[in-house]
Amino acid sequence: MASSESIIEENSTALQNLAKKVVALDALYNVRECMLADKGMMLVALDLSGAEAYLVFCYSKDWERAKRLERGEDIHRLHAKEFFNVPRLDLVTPEQRKTAKNLTYASFYEASVRTVVVTYNRDYLIHGQRTTEREVKRVQEVLFDLHLLREWWATVRDELERNGGWTRNCSGYQRMFRSPYEHERVKAALANYPQSTVAWKMNEAYVRLHDEVDTEGEIEILHQNHDEFVLECLPEFLERAVVGVEKT
């Protein structure tokens, strides 16, 4: 879906799932830059802030952290404060927050120190940072003291064994994991819990959003990518568009 003014590469496929690393290598694949609003319209982009982290805390029964996110606290800033021994949240720098965010997501799903380092440094073109095994090990020790991740990993490993290789998320979506290696099955199952839940909720929200606000010539849904919606609207309908997304 696109406005009549959007520029999409001819014969492109899986546009909604283009990896960030591809965008970093070739600006032609930057979906946001490809999308232009029709004349007289404006673009509106809204996403589920911290959705994956929130769901990790819910699935791992880390309710205290989940409630803090519900109150609007910035989990990556909180992590940066702990990771780098910053005395106050307001003293955390943007670079420290970005580092904390990237290392946190890389460590959520039972990734080894070596795996995190390789993955993190391989994505240098995306975030412009590099790290070392010593640094990752130090950060992970802090992260695992803060959250119940190891307990969650053990629970999911037991669940896979008990079910013969499948898990089911909170929406009832069931998936089988077939890797011959247990560690790979566990990592995939862990990541699938929050990521499939976000996808499921976004699919439900898409239908509600369409019924709520999509009106030709006033507000139109252009694009949905993971946890983000992109719409175009007439300036006078901006508030209605934003409220509609927030309600869904």
Side-chain angles (χ1 to χ4, degrees):
M1 289 177 293
S3 72
S4 61
E5 296 297 322
S6 294
I7 302 172
I8 306 297
E9 181 189 7
E10 186 178 1
N11 298 323
S12 65
T13 59
L15 184 61
Q16 293 183 352
N17 295 312
L18 288 172
K20 289 183 179 179
K21 63 183 64 179
V22 178
V23 174
L25 291 170
D26 190 343
L28 177 64
Y29 292 93
N30 191 330
V31 176
R32 286 187 178 87
E33 295 299 323
C34 290
M35 303 187 74
L36 302 174
D38 287 314
K39 186 176 181 179
M41 307 282 275
M42 60 191 303
L43 285 179
V44 182
L46 300 100
D47 66 8
L48 290 171
S49 178
E52 187 171 348
Y54 176 76
L55 287 166
V56 166
F57 299 148
C58 289
Y59 277 115
S60 62
K61 296 181 171 55
D62 192 346
W63 304 119
E64 178 185 352
R65 295 288 172 171
K67 289 177 180 178
R68 294 181 73 168
L69 283 180
E70 289 177 2
R71 293 197 296 266
E73 296 187 30
D74 185 337
I75 190 63
H76 305 306
R77 186 172 295 276
L78 291 167
H79 281 165
K81 178 180 180 297
E82 299 294 334
F83 292 168
F84 305 112
N85 295 314
V86 181
R88 299 199 318 268
L89 282 175
D90 61 314
L91 297 178
V92 172
T93 67
E95 188 73 7
Q96 288 172 327
R97 183 189 181 279
K98 181 167 71 170
T99 301
K101 177 180 179 179
N102 292 331
L103 289 177
T104 294
Y105 280 120
S107 303
F108 266 157
Y109 308 122
E110 206 180 37
S112 67
V113 169
R114 180 61 180 165
T115 298
V116 171
V117 171
V118 171
T119 303
Y120 193 90
N121 291 341
R122 186 179 60 201
D123 291 343
Y124 170 78
L125 288 175
I126 299 173
H127 48 62
Q129 298 177 327
R130 298 189 191 278
T131 192
T132 65
E133 291 190 16
R134 180 179 179 181
E135 179 66 2
V136 169
K137 184 177 180 180
R138 184 190 66 79
V139 166
Q140 284 191 339
E141 287 175 353
V142 177
L143 182 68
F144 299 153
D145 283 341
L146 291 173
H147 303 297
L148 305 173
L149 294 173
R150 287 191 173 115
E151 293 85 346
W152 178 45
W153 299 345
T155 299
V156 172
R157 180 177 284 102
D158 291 343
E159 184 179 5
L160 283 169
E161 183 176 354
R162 184 174 62 252
N163 294 340
W166 60 264
T167 62
R168 181 182 286 118
N169 71 13
C170 63
S171 296
Y173 175 75
Q174 181 175 314
R175 179 178 172 184
M176 176 69 74
F177 300 91
R178 304 182 185 278
S179 171
Y181 305 106
E182 182 194 33
H183 185 57
E184 294 300 322
R185 292 196 301 272
V186 173
K187 288 198 299 182
L190 288 166
N192 182 67
Y193 270 115
Q195 292 170 5
S196 67
T197 302
V198 169
W200 197 275
K201 293 303 180 182
M202 288 296 288
N203 289 342
E204 293 176 347
Y206 198 113
V207 176
R208 293 197 300 270
L209 182 63
H210 179 273
D211 293 342
E212 181 76 22
V213 303
D214 196 293
T215 309
E216 185 174 357
E218 297 176 353
I219 304 173
E220 297 185 33
I221 305 171
L222 300 182
H223 181 66
Q224 179 262 315
N225 182 42
H226 302 302
D227 63 352
E228 180 183 51
F229 282 120
V230 179
L231 306 87
E232 68 172 8
C233 68
L234 293 170
E236 57 267 33
F237 288 95
L238 174 60
E239 183 177 355
R240 180 184 165 195
V242 172
V243 170
V245 174
E246 291 176 344
K247 284 177 62 178
T248 59

